[in-house]
Amino acid sequence: MLDGKKSLFSGMQATGTLHIGNYLGALKNWVELENEYETFYCVVDMHSITVRQDPAELRRKARSLLTLYIAAGLNPEKNCIYYQSHVSAHAELAWILNCFTYMGELNRMTQFKDKAAKNEGNINAGLFTYPVLMAADILLFQSDIVPVGDDQKQHIELTRDVAQRFNAIYGDVFTIPEPYIKKTGARIMSLQEPTKKMSKSDDNPNASVFLLDDTDTIIRKFKRAVTDSGNEIRYAEEKPGISNLIEIYSVATGKSIPEIEKEFDGKGYGEFKIAVGEAVAAMLKPVQDRYNELCNDKEYIDNVIKTNAEKASYYANKTLRKVQKKVGFPEKIR
Ligand code: TRP
């Protein structure tokens, strides 16, 4: 809770590229949360350097992601969209929480195990304490809900444990956050392996449609989408490929599944795939147009970056000061 309003925090890495799964399954649905919650969407560049990054590339991708969030419909006057590295309270609270998190807890994190296996030459302490920085992100804003994918649930559990441990010692300092995993809303699968979720870290670019893909690329990816044997456009469990395309077409056009089955009755996969590609391209067009417009308005984006970092700092520092006092740091002389 912040100033009597429920609050929401979500962090995103700038290293992957947003795809239609992120858009339809998350981003697009977040727009409607801005009235009910005080929202924070943070580009977590401090998390990104737990694996080696090219500095220029990281800066470019971070700005692109921040811009894309606005282009996708999040109004930056109502939603606080900012860079983690611009708000030093993240690092300061992370240090304190490090002292309330056990090695054994961090050792159990499956994402650490996965990433350590992938980065054998650089298993640094930051990679190990990554979830503690994430806990700091969330707890700084007294977040009630945290929209995340399934893969982040373990980190939210840890955040809750650490917050409860801290509260048990010092009184009610932190709001205990809940993961917000929307049951309804589209679950978009890979175009190449339709039993797997579309993923930012997929090495095959044909598996995902990215928000900034041009029309030709989008149509080509749908044409190449893996489909099932048979030739009927029908939603069924044993037809994961076609069912995924039907689902995507449904959210892109607003048509229901029975309507779609009827529309394509007697038509082949080829024709259907092109229709899906065109519908998705049409759905993304306004987002892309807005993105390009925003990229040309450096002053506007710079201003968002500045004012939103100030807003985030205001709330974050309030929590940080409380925590510093609780653990026994001396008050600053002003
Ligand atoms: N670890 C998250 C991911 O990789 C990103 C993240 C960082 C995050 N801090 C967060 C997500 C706080 C939710 C809340 O997706």
Side-chain angles (χ1 to χ4, degrees), residues 9-13 44 47 111 130 134 137-138 146-148 151-152 155:
F9 185 95
S10 192
M12 56 272 174
Q13 296 250 17
V44 293
H47 278 104
Q111 192 171 71
Y130 176 116
M134 181 162 161
D137 300 343
I138 295 167
V146 186
V148 281
D151 64 322
Q152 295 298 315
H155 290 161

Side-chain angles (χ1 to χ4, degrees), residues 104-311:
E105 289 179 302
L106 293 174
N107 255 325
R108 282 201 294 276
M109 296 293 119
T110 57
Q111 192 171 71
F112 170 68
K113 291 184 209 170
D114 292 348
K115 287 194 179 175
K118 275 194 204 146
N119 298 280
E120 255 188 64
N122 183 22
I123 306 177
N124 59 71
L127 193 64
F128 188 62
T129 60
Y130 176 116
V132 183
L133 178 58
M134 181 162 161
D137 300 343
I138 295 167
L139 299 176
L140 274 178
F141 297 95
Q142 305 292 351
S143 311
D144 294 276
I145 62 165
V146 186
V148 281
D150 268 337
D151 64 322
Q152 295 298 315
K153 261 166 90 175
Q154 199 185 25
H155 290 161
I156 310 288
E157 266 312 306
L158 178 76
T159 302
R160 291 168 56 89
D161 290 345
V162 172
Q164 272 155 352
R165 183 172 306 145
F166 195 95
N167 283 356
I169 304 172
Y170 300 106
D172 263 345
V173 177
F174 295 124
T175 301
I176 307 302
E178 298 275 351
Y180 177 81
I181 297 170
K182 224 177 164 187
K183 299 284 175 303
T184 57
R187 191 176 149 85
I188 307 297
M189 312 305 274
S190 156
L191 297 188
Q192 292 299 316
E193 283 174 80
T195 50
K196 262 181 36 190
K197 240 173 82 172
M198 194 176 277
S199 158
K200 276 200 263 185
S201 48
D202 203 312
D203 292 327
N204 182 352
N206 288 321
S208 314
V209 174
F210 300 112
L211 257 49
L212 297 175
D213 278 347
D214 60 39
T215 303
D216 289 349
T217 306
I218 295 172
I219 292 177
R220 181 171 43 78
K221 285 181 177 176
F222 279 106
K223 275 189 185 161
R224 287 195 192 163
V226 169
T227 37
D228 322 282
S229 55
N231 52 15
E232 255 180 302
I233 316 297
R234 185 169 53 84
Y235 194 93
E237 205 174 320
E238 71 278 10
K239 291 167 78 76
I242 283 295
S243 298
N244 185 36
L245 298 186
I246 292 178
E247 185 115 10
I248 294 172
Y249 189 69
S250 169
V251 277
T253 59
K255 292 176 188 168
S256 71
I257 292 171
E259 274 172 334
I260 296 167
E261 289 174 335
K262 201 156 155 238
E263 181 181 349
F264 289 93
D265 186 27
K267 296 190 177 145
Y269 283 177
E271 194 175 334
F272 179 55
K273 285 175 167 181
I274 293 173
V276 181
E278 283 170 349
V280 168
M283 168 185 82
L284 294 181
K285 177 87 174 32
V287 176
Q288 297 179 348
D289 288 349
R290 181 90 182 103
Y291 177 82
N292 292 327
E293 241 173 69
L294 289 166
C295 286
N296 287 327
D297 197 345
K298 180 169 184 306
E299 223 175 298
Y300 174 75
I301 295 292
D302 283 351
N303 187 50
V304 166
I305 290 172
K306 179 167 180 285
T307 52
N308 278 343
E310 284 163 2
K311 178 174 167 187

Side-chain angles (χ1 to χ4, degrees), residues 52-123:
R52 273 311 161 252
Q53 302 292 338
D54 176 76
E57 185 71 351
L58 178 60
R59 227 183 320 269
R60 187 189 64 74
K61 282 187 163 166
R63 188 165 176 115
S64 170
L65 179 64
L66 185 137
T67 307
L68 205 44
Y69 267 68
I70 303 169
L74 292 172
N75 173 356
E77 275 166 38
K78 290 194 160 177
N79 302 277
C80 190
I81 305 172
Y82 73 102
Y83 296 130
Q84 188 184 32
S85 62
H86 284 188
V87 177
S88 57
H90 286 271
E92 295 179 73
L93 182 61
W95 172 255
I96 295 173
L97 296 182
N98 265 316
C99 304
F100 292 84
T101 309
Y102 301 122
M103 300 283 285
E105 289 179 302
L106 293 174
N107 255 325
R108 282 201 294 276
M109 296 293 119
T110 57
Q111 192 171 71
F112 170 68
K113 291 184 209 170
D114 292 348
K115 287 194 179 175
K118 275 194 204 146
N119 298 280
E120 255 188 64
N122 183 22
I123 306 177

